[in-house]
Amino acid sequence: SMLQRLAATLRRPAAVPLAAAVRCISSGSVDITVPLNYWAGKRWTSKEKCNKENVYEPATGRVLCHLEPCGAVEVDEAVEAAKSAFGHWSKMSGMERARIMIEAAHIIESRREEIAEMEVVNNGKSITEARLDVDSARLCIEYYAGLASTLAGQHVQLPGGSFAYTRREPLGVCVGIGAWNYPFQIAAWKSAPALACGNSMVFKPSPVTPVTAVMLAEIYAEAGAPEGLLNVVQGGQETGSLLCHHPDVAKVSFTGSVPTGKKIMEMASKGVKPVTLELGGKSPLLIFQDSDLENAVRGALMANFLSQGQVCSNGTRVFVQKNILPEFVEEVVKRTRAIEIGDPLLESTRMGALVNQPHLEKVLSFVDQAKKEGATVLCGGGYYMTPCVLGDCTDEMTCVKEEIFGPVMSVLSFETEEEVLQRANNTTMGLAAGVFTRDVMRAHRVVEHLKAGSCFINNYNITPVEVPFGGFKMSGIGRENGQVTVEHYSQLKTVFVEMGDVDCLF
């Protein structure tokens, strides 16, 4: 089999102990034995006959809990609950909404460890990363709580004392559809700006990672939000389709793959619903010969191996200027081999498990294909997958052109700035890009020419909630985080006020 053929390149971790995971589930206040569907202030069992789906713990492969997909009846009930909450929430002042959001942030802070542990058990990433994800979720809610009372329009003076003004009003019921790589963080990144602007939300997590979004919904309720403000419906493609087509849904925000994003956009177009799409990437990281090599290596590791490489913005095409290529590769391989792999709940672990077996096999197939096309496996490629660095890569290789979404770094060589810019931009996607150089003029010149929505100079994969995040080209539409997101969760009303007589042509 493919796995056996790759066995020579593997470095398997020790067996993963179950004790930590069992402790997490038994001691936490989240109950995963009851249904994971939540609306109108309570958990709900599916009214329709549906096949329960197994939800697995990536670190061990054991069944964690069961998921009941929502059909048309459940989706209708969840949207109805959101409509009811919207009536109350949208009439509250920004300050009143902010008070509840800040309380939710305080609850998240007090339950940080519990939420992080559950994220690890359901997603497979290391506890160290999961804590940072929970922090990002909390900070996002705090940030938009701060913006809730600043929503304002514009006053325009017109001749004769007449004037016009604009109002920024909420959209209504918004739908959020999340991905499995950052389950809790994405639920917060989508709900926080939506709620701050006065909307309510129905959120559908990935069926692979259904647990922590429910925790967030219950935290909002505990903080004093009206029943139905944030609702969670579980399910896959069919449930997502019902949400996108629902006549009472005003907007859809999706994080996931490019092919699914196209389908979401097409479905939303039937009701002329606005969409925010945060899709895939095949982002370039440019490392020039005058770079601080230590920081460039750190940046390349952060650009490729966060969350087991399962990050849409990862800089997986690492272009290294020819003069420093041998030195860079030697150091990056040494650091990659030293990454501690194992039980993701242990403090010492730096890389956990990929999200599931089918995804692992897909990622391994890319490594196998890269070898066939002439790339050199410098290190890694295993189950519980060990991080992999591919050397001798060229632009036409499958591993360089297609998003792998796993811990696989492709290293390419370049000679001139003009050449590498042309090669870096030669992709249908444009989510992120990075450059390492000590030359400040080159840094800004290169960034100006990179066709990507989120660019990094001398760092990578930093996502502070104060700044917008999103892509160019097929990597998406709209932005998450930052002030600009208010525009994506509200609509502008213009009001003309006449202070004199009507100037009539008839």
Side-chain angles (χ1 to χ4, degrees):
S1 72
M2 176 185 67
L3 290 173
Q4 289 167 330
R5 290 199 307 275
L6 282 167
T9 70
L10 309 193
R11 176 171 64 83
R12 296 179 185 275
V16 179
L18 278 169
V22 173
R23 182 196 73 243
C24 165
I25 295 165
S26 61
S27 66
S29 62
V30 62
D31 188 350
I32 58 173
T33 64
V34 296
L36 297 171
N37 296 310
Y38 179 88
W39 55 85
K42 59 186 268 193
R43 305 277 189 105
W44 295 89
T45 302
S46 176
K47 293 178 177 62
E48 302 173 15
K49 283 187 178 178
C50 65
N51 295 322
K52 289 186 179 181
E53 297 174 10
N54 289 338
V55 178
Y56 297 96
E57 181 187 8
T60 62
R62 73 193 179 105
V63 174
L64 178 64
C65 58
H66 300 282
L67 176 138
E68 294 184 5
C70 288
V73 173
E74 288 78 28
V75 167
D76 281 346
E77 287 186 1
V79 172
E80 191 57 41
K83 271 178 71 179
S84 176
F86 173 74
H88 176 59
W89 184 253
S90 60
K91 290 179 176 63
M92 292 167 66
S93 71
M95 289 291 281
E96 289 173 308
R97 294 198 292 267
R99 193 177 300 120
I100 290 170
M101 293 176 70
I102 288 291
E103 180 58 26
H106 288 160
I107 296 169
I108 290 170
E109 191 168 26
S110 69
R111 294 176 60 187
R112 180 191 192 223
E113 195 64 17
E114 176 203 345
I115 298 166
E117 285 185 356
M118 187 49 79
E119 194 82 318
V120 169
V121 171
N122 195 189
N123 167 272
K125 67 174 65 186
S126 73
I127 187 68
T128 306
E129 281 196 42
R131 289 185 188 120
L132 297 176
D133 294 355
V134 176
D135 291 344
S136 173
R138 172 182 58 80
L139 289 167
C140 185
I141 293 168
E142 289 178 353
Y143 176 76
Y144 284 107
L147 285 184
S149 62
T150 69
L151 302 184
Q154 183 184 21
H155 177 272
V156 181
Q157 290 173 268
L158 298 171
S162 295
F163 61 94
Y165 64 91
T166 58
R167 290 169 50 87
R168 193 160 284 286
E169 299 182 352
L171 297 163
V173 177
C174 296
V175 160
I177 301 177
W180 47 255
N181 55 343
Y182 288 87
F184 191 77
Q185 179 181 296
I186 289 173
W189 278 21
K190 292 194 187 305
S191 61
L195 302 190
C197 291
N199 304 286
S200 57
M201 177 166 273
V202 179
F203 186 80
K204 188 194 83 64
S206 163
V208 178
T209 53
V211 179
T212 51
V214 188
M215 298 174 76
L216 180 62
E218 291 177 335
I219 285 168
Y220 277 124
E222 186 185 337
E227 282 188 2
L229 188 65
L230 177 61
N231 310 275
V232 178
V233 295
Q234 304 290 354
Q237 190 174 335
E238 185 184 338
T239 309
S241 176
L242 288 166
L243 289 167
C244 291
H245 285 121
H246 201 288
D248 291 329
V249 166
K251 181 222 167 72
V252 180
S253 176
F254 169 76
T255 298
S257 70
V258 173
T260 308
K262 289 179 180 178
K263 290 175 186 170
I264 297 276
M265 195 173 179
E266 186 179 354
M267 288 187 286
S269 74
K270 302 289 191 291
V272 198
K273 304 181 201 298
V275 293
T276 295
L277 301 175
E278 202 274 275
L279 308 178
K282 192 66 188 175
S283 301
L285 176 57
L286 282 47
I287 298 174
F288 287 88
Q289 61 191 23
D290 67 345
S291 302
D292 178 317
L293 194 68
E294 167 66 17
N295 278 316
V297 169
R298 288 180 181 183
L301 295 173
M302 290 295 285
N304 281 272
F305 299 141
L306 280 178
S307 199
Q308 296 77 253
Q310 300 166 140
V311 183
C312 50
S313 56
N314 270 359
T316 52
R317 293 184 293 143
V318 181
F319 293 90
V320 184
Q321 204 156 16
K322 200 171 182 180
N323 292 3
I324 60 166
L325 181 65
E327 192 182 355
F328 173 86
V329 168
E330 182 184 0
E331 188 61 24
V332 93
V333 168
K334 184 175 84 175
R335 299 281 190 91
T336 303
R337 282 186 172 140
I339 293 172
E340 190 68 33
I341 307 163
D343 178 358
L345 281 163
L346 296 178
E347 296 289 338
S348 58
T349 296
R350 285 297 170 265
M351 187 173 287
L354 268 69
V355 75
N356 56 29
Q357 182 75 24
H359 186 62
L360 166 75
E361 291 177 3
K362 179 186 169 190
V363 173
L364 285 173
S365 73
F366 275 103
V367 178
D368 200 33
Q369 182 70 22
K371 288 167 69 178
K372 288 176 183 171
E373 293 178 15
T376 306
V377 178
L378 299 174
C379 65
Y383 176 27
Y384 217 93
M385 183 172 174
T386 50
C388 176
V389 178
L390 298 173
D392 304 311
C393 292
T394 61
D395 293 0
E396 296 311 308
M397 289 180 179
T398 306
C399 63
V400 174
K401 290 195 294 186
E402 295 184 22
E403 186 174 34
I404 298 173
F405 221 64
V408 182
M409 179 193 301
S410 298
V411 180
L412 304 101
S413 172
F414 77 91
E415 294 190 19
T416 69
E417 180 183 317
E418 184 181 29
E419 163 219 341
V420 77
L421 276 169
Q422 189 275 323
R423 292 167 65 194
N425 289 328
N426 187 23
T427 171
T428 58
M429 291 177 273
L431 188 53
V435 55
F436 274 81
T437 177
R438 283 193 178 98
D439 184 336
V440 67
M441 290 177 71
R442 171 190 276 149
H444 294 290
R445 183 172 65 238
V446 164
V447 160
E448 182 189 348
H449 289 99
L450 285 168
K451 305 277 193 288
S454 299
C455 293
F456 303 89
I457 295 175
N458 293 331
N459 210 329
Y460 205 92
N461 268 343
I462 306 301
T463 52
V465 297
E466 301 94 328
V467 297
F469 178 80
F472 284 10
K473 298 191 276 187
M474 290 177 80
S475 286
I477 292 172
R479 291 295 179 267
E480 295 190 311
N481 295 339
Q483 290 185 15
V484 70
T485 303
V486 165
E487 295 176 21
H488 299 298
Y489 281 100
S490 59
Q491 53 196 346
L492 208 59
K493 177 181 284 180
T494 303
V495 182
F496 296 93
V497 181
E498 178 59 60
M499 298 297 286
D501 297 326
V502 175
D503 190 5
C504 181
L505 293 173
F506 308 102

